Amino acid sequence: MLTNPNTLGIFDNKIAEISEIIHETGGLMYYDGANLNAIMGKCRPGDMGFDVVHLNLHKTFSTPHGGGGPGSGPVGVKSHLIEFLPVPTIEKSNGVYSLNYDKPKSIGKIHGYYGNIGVLLKAYAYVLTLGGTGLKEASELSVLNSKLYCPEAEEYSWLKLTIRT
């Protein structure tokens, strides 16, 4: 499980090489979407080699977490993992959505499948309000804010940050 950019806000431009090494050994890459703010509209975790993506709505999409939670968020997978997703899955056939419980290779049902609808609706409203352009701008402002605060962090001798522009 990796986050890119990492917790310090540093984007690892060698992530595709890391993914390749992991995949060569039979491993999978799991993307923790905790810092998705910095990459929205810029790059996609799947293109970096991640097989599974967990979106933390509480950081990127303005929803509560912890004391104001519970948190919530979707998990997406690449096509080779779809058959293992928990049931039920939401499927569309002839313009109609339905829940499919008939997935023999599924890991089964997980607790709280329907999730925290209030958190999901708040995130959805945030996305609709900002739109694609607004989400990309939010991402750019997130990165800009990180760059502005890095010089202040350098006063701590144990913390050395290098920002490349």
Side-chain angles (χ1 to χ4, degrees), residues 19-29 51 80-81:
S19 293
E20 188 175 323
I21 292 167
I22 297 298
H23 287 133
E24 285 174 359
T25 66
L28 297 173
M29 293 288 289
D51 302 291
H80 65 281
L81 296 173

Side-chain angles (χ1 to χ4, degrees), residues 32-35 54-74 116 118-120 122-123:
D32 177 358
N35 299 325
H54 168 218
L55 297 182
N56 295 313
L57 299 180
H58 67 278
K59 287 188 178 179
T60 305
F61 300 104
S62 186
T63 66
H65 185 265
S72 188
N116 182 337
V119 170
L120 297 172
K122 184 174 182 180

Side-chain angles (χ1 to χ4, degrees), residues 1 3 38 45 48 54-55 62 66 88-89 93 106 133 139 142 161:
M1 180 171 79
T3 299
M48 292 184 252
H54 168 218
L55 297 182
S62 186
T89 55
S93 178
S106 169
T133 303
S139 178
S142 170
L161 300 174

